[in-house]
Structures are given as structure tokens and as C-alpha cells.
Amino acid sequence: MNILTPILVISTLAGFASQAIAVDKQVQAHFDTTSVTGVIANPQKFSRKRISLKGFYSRIGQPYLFLSPAHEEIDDTESAISILLLEPTNNINFMDNCSGNWLEVTGTLIPTVQDVTYRLSYRLAIDKATRLSDYADCFGDTNENE
């Protein structure tokens, strides 16, 4: 009986894990595509979830995905999503290929705490970015375009 107990517990846990994965995939499919305004309005809904959204990527300065070029011109970061690039080489290619363009980005919304105010904010850690004008990969080698 002691031998069967661990096997039963492991099989039960495996069943729960597979159900949780299936539910998580359904939830991710539901939240897969959204908008900058949707994330700004309700960031908790998308926290730690993989999302895809479109916006205007800043020309210079800090990496933000804005609602429009007009919002970028007045530096309206309250109406923007802060972008986090995890790979330094991606950062160089990303800025060269896609700054000042409309993009579709995909990544995970990460909760962060601001240093001075200790206010909860969010950053989008992206792993895919496409320039909408010609569907070019923003992380691609900059020499490919020449």
C-alpha cells in the first residue's frame, strides 16, 4: 500500500498539471491580442501574460510603445507601454530597424516597482517585433536591409 501511494499522488499531480496547462493556454489565447489602451486601462488583467499589440515606437529616448506619433512628440509616457529588451544585441538592431515606426510587438507584461515612488508599474518584455510598413523583423541584422 505504501508503494501505491506515491504513484497515485504523482499521477494525480500530473493530471492537475496537464489541466492547468490546458487552461493556461486557453487564457493566453484569450489575451493574445490587445491594444495599448487596453493594457494601460487594465494592466493587472495582462500581468505576466503573453500579449501582442500594435503601437508607435519612440524615435529617441526611452523605449516606449505610444498610442500615436502625436503622443510620442509630447512625451506622453502615461499613455504608453514601457518596452524591455533582454538582449543587448537585439537593442541595437531594434533601434536601428524600428525606431519611429508603427510596430506589432509580442511579449510578456512584467510588473515592476519604480525606484523612487515604489509605485507598481509594468514593462513589456518583448521577444518579437515587426515593423508594420513592410513587415520587417525589428531584431534582424541591420546589414540585411542594405
Side-chain angles (χ1 to χ4, degrees):
M1 188 148 172
N2 287 343
I3 295 173
L4 292 177
T5 302
I7 294 172
L8 181 60
V9 169
I10 289 171
S11 65
T12 302
L13 290 175
F16 285 139
S18 65
Q19 286 176 337
I21 290 169
V23 168
D24 189 46
K25 285 184 180 177
Q26 290 173 348
V27 169
Q28 283 185 359
H30 179 69
F31 293 122
D32 188 37
T33 301
T34 186
S35 66
V36 171
T37 54
V39 174
I40 292 168
N42 195 359
Q44 299 85 0
K45 179 178 179 181
F46 303 101
S47 181
R48 295 186 179 98
K49 293 196 173 35
R50 187 163 174 76
I51 59 173
S52 177
L53 51 100
K54 296 175 184 174
F56 186 80
Y57 187 70
S58 58
R59 293 178 186 97
I60 56 172
Q62 295 180 333
Y64 283 97
L65 196 65
F66 288 93
L67 291 170
S68 71
H71 286 90
E72 190 244 356
E73 286 176 19
I74 62 170
D75 198 27
D76 182 13
T77 58
E78 292 296 317
S79 298
I81 305 292
S82 178
I83 300 293
L84 176 65
L85 299 169
L86 302 176
E87 295 291 326
T89 54
N90 281 350
N91 192 10
I92 294 167
N93 290 346
F94 188 71
M95 287 302 294
D96 287 347
N97 292 339
C98 290
S99 62
N101 283 284
W102 286 95
L103 307 181
E104 180 171 13
V105 297
T106 303
T108 303
L109 195 64
I110 311 248
T112 60
V113 177
Q114 293 180 354
D115 291 338
V116 177
T117 62
Y118 298 105
R119 187 181 80 154
L120 181 65
S121 62
Y122 294 86
R123 296 192 77 186
L124 184 61
I126 63 171
D127 55 38
K128 181 179 178 187
T130 304
R131 191 171 52 221
L132 292 177
S133 61
D134 57 2
Y135 298 100
D137 178 10
C138 292
F139 294 131
D141 186 5
T142 55
N143 294 328
E144 290 176 3
N145 298 332
E146 296 177 7

